[in-house]
Amino acid sequence: LERFVTMAEYSVVGGERAGPARDLTAAREAYEVGDIELSRQAHEPNNSDEHHAGDAGKYVKSLVFGGLDGIITTFAVVAASVGGSLNSDVILLMGFANLVADGLSMGFGDYLSSQAEFDYTRAEHKRERWELDNYPEGEKREMEELYIKRGMTAADAESVVGVMSKYKNFFLDVMMVEELGLMPPDENDSPAKNGLVTFAAFVIFGVIPLLPFVLMGTTKASDQVNFVAACFLTGFTMLALGAAKAKFTSQSVVRSAFLMLLNGGMAAVAAYLVSWGIATAMGRNSDSAT
């Protein structure tokens, strides 16, 4: 989930990212169903706006992982509380305390990691630009050697690098990917937005397992009924999160959705069993039964 736009899908033109001359959504759909004609149509130049992951894809990782961590962590707290025979007041207290504390930690952590990645990539980009400005022959030779290792003849490698090097910004971006394995820095990236998206997703999705307990004053349902309702709400939401992730990563929707459900289910079962075992050893479950 790091990046959804590859070097083949953009170049730098006047400091702006230029998208591919195709409908990338249609191209992906054609690939999934094996429709060659649809693939041809998707690659035909047209005047319509391109629909690709681009801007939305920047925040998919933060949205999905923030939401997934939020709902799994909170549901694990609920499951552990029920397994330990704790009442609904404790469930709400622990659930919301965890929601805010972990949400802030996740959001700030995403901001720090995104900022560190951006700073590192930008520093490497500046270094490569400096080297290209001051010793272009050496940079060209490095690229030629890379292409020769990949099977090009020396003549073809020299020809390809010679053409690319005429376009300095483009050649610099290619160097970043080929030599360092790094995508060129996008000045429009915002680590702060990544952090905010992670925090918001954590809180929004994380509150879902708590909703039945929040509404118990209105529903008058028992803790057991509320827990069952929380299971259904959480399971449905995790399936939806998995399906949404698949749309941006070109994975199987069904596989992605059920992997999400499996992930959350294992965490909740583990939390429930550990809490139940400890409570039983302490005699809490027997006390609550009597």
Side-chain angles (χ1 to χ4, degrees):
L1 287 178
E2 288 296 322
R3 296 270 185 177
F4 300 97
V5 183
T6 66
M7 281 298 298
E9 293 173 343
Y10 75 85
S11 62
V12 178
V13 180
E16 298 293 333
R17 300 292 183 192
R22 58 174 171 170
D23 186 336
L24 194 52
T25 299
R28 285 172 174 157
E29 291 176 355
Y31 169 75
E32 290 176 359
V33 300
D35 191 327
I36 298 176
E37 182 58 33
L38 180 59
S39 178
R40 290 196 185 101
Q41 294 174 9
H43 284 78
E44 288 294 325
N46 58 71
N47 295 322
S48 62
D49 293 334
E50 296 299 334
H51 301 288
H52 51 86
D55 293 336
K58 294 179 183 179
Y59 304 109
V60 170
K61 182 185 72 171
S62 298
L63 177 64
V64 171
F65 284 100
L68 182 60
D69 281 346
I71 196 168
I72 289 179
T73 303
T74 308
F75 186 55
V77 170
V78 172
S81 300
V82 173
S85 299
L86 302 179
N87 61 41
S88 57
D89 290 340
V90 176
I91 293 175
L92 288 173
L93 186 146
M94 293 179 61
F96 279 104
N98 168 81
L99 197 61
V100 175
D102 273 7
L104 287 172
S105 177
M106 282 286 297
F108 193 62
D110 193 8
Y111 162 72
L112 291 177
S113 62
S114 298
Q115 185 66 56
E117 179 184 0
F118 179 75
D119 290 342
Y120 174 72
T121 304
R122 185 166 54 182
E124 288 298 298
H125 191 266
K126 288 181 179 179
R127 181 182 60 79
E128 288 289 346
R129 180 180 292 277
W130 181 85
E131 291 180 352
L132 184 60
D133 288 340
N134 291 278
Y135 188 36
E137 296 81 7
E139 294 300 316
K140 292 178 185 178
R141 185 169 62 250
E142 287 179 6
M143 291 294 293
E144 290 171 9
E145 291 172 353
L146 283 173
Y147 290 142
I148 290 172
K149 287 181 179 179
R150 295 188 179 186
M152 279 191 185
T153 64
D156 284 346
E158 182 178 358
S159 175
V160 168
V161 172
V163 172
M164 289 194 300
S165 62
K166 294 179 181 179
Y167 308 94
K168 185 174 180 180
N169 287 335
F170 171 75
F171 188 50
L172 183 61
D173 285 354
V174 173
M175 286 166 52
M176 287 284 293
V177 174
E178 297 288 1
E179 292 184 17
L180 304 176
L182 297 173
M183 294 299 293
D186 186 347
E187 296 300 329
N188 292 323
D189 281 349
S190 174
K193 285 184 179 179
N194 282 332
L196 287 174
V197 170
T198 297
F199 173 73
F202 191 100
V203 172
I204 291 171
F205 287 100
V207 78
I208 290 174
L210 297 173
L211 288 178
F213 297 93
V214 172
L215 299 174
M216 67 181 302
T218 301
T219 62
K220 306 300 181 183
S222 66
D223 288 350
Q224 288 74 20
V225 172
N226 287 329
F227 181 57
V228 172
C231 290
F232 277 104
L233 285 173
T234 302
F236 176 79
T237 305
M238 284 192 290
L239 287 172
L241 267 175
K245 180 174 75 74
K247 289 295 184 180
F248 287 94
T249 56
S250 300
Q251 295 177 337
S252 165
V253 173
V254 174
R255 182 174 183 272
S256 179
F258 277 96
L259 281 176
M260 285 282 196
L261 183 61
L262 179 63
N263 186 3
M266 289 191 301
V269 169
Y272 181 93
L273 292 177
V274 169
S275 181
W276 176 84
I278 294 174
T280 300
M282 296 172 60
R284 286 186 55 85
N285 286 337
S286 60
D287 291 344
S288 61
T290 57

